[in-house]
Amino acid sequence: MTTAPRRTWYRPMRSRSTTEAHRASTPLELFFDLCFVVAVAQAATLLEHDVAEHHFGHGLRSYAMVFFAIWWAWMNFTWFSSAYDTDDDIYRLTVLVAIVGALIIAAGVPRAFESQDFLVVTVGYSVMRFANVGQWIRAAVSDPAHRKAAIRYAVGTVVVQIGWWLLLLASGDAAYWTFLGLVIAELLIPMWAERTGMTPWHPGHIAERYGLFTLIVLGESVLAASLAFENGLGSGANADLIWLAAAGIIIVFAMWWIYFDRETRPQPKWAFVWSYGHYLIFSSAAAVGAGVVVNVVHHSGEAHISDTAAGYAVAIPVAIYALSVWVLHYVPHERGLLLLTPPIGVVLILIAPFVPASIQVIAGLFALQVAITVVLTRRASALSTSESYPQADPPA
């Protein structure tokens, strides 16, 4: 009879095997994700408020900026834990500190949206990033094979963090351009660090972690559809809201299906494209929920926007989501009609807000696109299988 090894307060942070069998998310990682639900919900809710009040530019800009902080902090923890999860007491405490940072970010989201005051968000972001710096320092001490990469991660993160604090002194257009420059600097840190030797992340583990976060952001759309049902059934069975809720559910089902229909793992050659491209998947998935809520308040007469604008509140994030999943999950592996169907569907979705019942039309178009994609994928898979294993000739 085997027993689990005793947990200790400290053990050397050795890199884990990239081929480790049955590698799954730990309870601590799941808890970490759960705490990000608050920040994602705050960002989506405030995006909905801005769009409903006809503040499109302000809402989209603020949402993109806040969501970057949420996504980038989550992503850096995820890739680090895939390579160096020692699960000792120090590691656990460091992750809990990072979770506190996520909650601080969530608390600062309203101020960031309403007055472009990013002080609280910056505090939370720094708490998370400096917790990550501490982890990289541990990795540098314990893992000589990847010491150069770990040091580069730690140094690069600290330098860019100084830039984020200096950003608080900027104002107007200079602040936005500085923000963009810092985003680019953040994205370049892993590229610079990994040039010394790729850290040993686990492809299957990373794919599972990204799938779990996709479920979290899809939860915003599920909640929005539930709100539409609640309002529709609570106001004398309002048929418009019930149909809107049904369309929202269909859109969420289609979003789930197209993402999880096939298992796609990041490959070393395209790891950065795959990883960074998920920013569009995550942010657009949460934004779909905000768009559905916009349409709920629009049907209730509380939103100061046109029918077309309300339609685009759903059409744009759905189109971004569909196009991003197509590029990351299908383009590298498929040929023929599968490379044409999704873009055509996206164009039709972006035209849908000009017709009546646009949300229902978007839901129908997206569901049809997913159905066609699934049929073509199954057909291509069956053809490939038959070519690989040809049937024997019948006996004479």
Side-chain angles (χ1 to χ4, degrees):
M1 179 178 179
T2 60
T3 58
R6 292 184 61 185
R7 180 168 291 103
T8 180
W9 72 275
Y10 172 82
R11 63 167 59 100
M13 186 169 275
R14 306 297 187 189
S15 57
R16 300 183 65 160
S17 171
T18 59
T19 58
E20 182 179 340
H22 310 297
R23 180 72 188 278
S25 298
T26 66
L28 182 59
E29 288 175 318
L30 298 177
F31 183 50
F32 184 85
D33 291 355
L34 178 64
C35 293
F36 269 80
V37 172
V38 181
V40 172
Q42 282 275 43
T45 298
L46 291 165
L47 172 63
E48 174 262 313
H49 288 164
D50 271 5
V51 173
E53 293 297 323
H54 211 278
H55 301 148
F56 304 123
H58 177 270
L60 292 174
R61 183 172 61 244
S62 300
Y63 179 75
M65 295 170 72
V66 168
F67 205 95
F68 174 81
I70 297 170
W71 164 74
W72 189 246
W74 175 88
M75 197 193 77
N76 277 270
F77 163 78
T78 295
W79 286 79
F80 179 87
S81 65
S82 187
Y84 293 104
D85 183 359
T86 59
D87 198 34
D88 58 19
D89 292 340
I90 293 180
Y91 179 87
R92 287 187 167 196
L93 289 171
T94 306
V95 174
L96 294 179
V97 169
I99 289 175
V100 172
L103 298 178
I104 295 173
I105 290 176
V109 169
R111 292 174 61 177
F113 264 81
E114 294 165 8
S115 59
Q116 299 295 285
D117 181 357
F118 287 89
L119 175 60
V120 177
V121 170
T122 302
V123 171
Y125 185 66
S126 291
V127 170
M128 297 195 70
R129 298 297 280 136
F130 280 114
N132 198 230
V133 168
Q135 301 279 41
W136 280 117
I137 291 174
R138 286 191 63 191
V141 171
S142 301
D143 186 15
H146 300 96
R147 181 168 294 158
K148 288 184 178 180
I151 291 174
R152 287 191 176 190
Y153 271 112
V155 171
T157 301
V158 170
V159 170
V160 176
Q161 281 304 300
I162 295 173
W164 287 117
W165 282 96
L166 292 176
L167 174 63
L168 298 176
L169 304 177
S171 60
D173 292 340
Y176 296 119
W177 286 110
T178 304
F179 178 89
L180 181 59
L182 289 169
V183 166
I184 294 173
E186 289 276 24
L187 297 177
L188 289 176
I189 291 174
M191 297 181 183
W192 174 57
E194 298 286 338
R195 291 184 57 145
T196 63
M198 187 164 288
T199 50
W201 47 271
H202 191 288
H205 177 248
I206 288 293
E208 182 193 31
R209 299 288 295 120
Y210 273 67
L212 290 172
F213 201 77
T214 301
L215 292 176
I216 286 177
V217 292
L218 285 177
E220 292 301 313
S221 297
V222 173
L223 182 61
S226 175
L227 175 65
F229 273 123
E230 178 184 345
N231 287 6
L233 296 174
S235 56
N238 187 311
D240 288 341
L241 286 175
I242 293 174
W243 278 111
L244 173 61
I249 286 294
I250 291 173
I251 290 172
V252 175
F253 288 170
M255 292 168 71
W256 173 85
W257 195 300
I258 198 172
Y259 186 93
F260 292 100
D261 186 57
R262 60 185 303 159
E263 182 183 15
T264 303
R265 299 183 176 188
Q267 301 301 317
K269 184 178 180 180
W270 302 105
F272 288 113
V273 174
W274 189 91
S275 177
Y276 292 178
H278 270 75
Y279 169 81
L280 296 174
I281 293 177
F282 294 155
S283 59
S284 61
V288 169
V292 172
V293 176
V294 166
N295 280 269
V296 171
V297 297
H298 176 67
H299 278 79
S300 303
E302 301 173 12
H304 308 293
I305 55 176
S306 65
D307 291 345
T308 302
Y312 271 115
V314 173
I316 291 176
V318 167
I320 293 174
Y321 181 90
L323 203 59
S324 301
V325 173
W326 171 69
V327 169
L328 296 181
H329 285 205
Y330 291 87
V331 169
H333 311 286
E334 303 293 348
R335 296 293 181 269
L337 288 176
L338 270 171
L339 296 183
L340 297 176
T341 303
I344 294 173
V346 166
V347 171
L348 294 175
I349 288 171
L350 291 174
I351 296 174
F354 291 104
V355 303
S358 60
I359 306 305
Q360 288 79 5
V361 173
I362 291 170
L365 288 171
F366 194 24
L368 179 61
Q369 173 187 325
V370 172
I372 293 173
T373 301
V374 169
V375 169
L376 293 176
T377 301
R378 301 292 187 274
R379 183 178 298 174
S381 178
L383 181 61
S384 176
T385 302
S386 65
E387 291 177 350
S388 301
Y389 302 97
Q391 295 181 353
D393 294 333

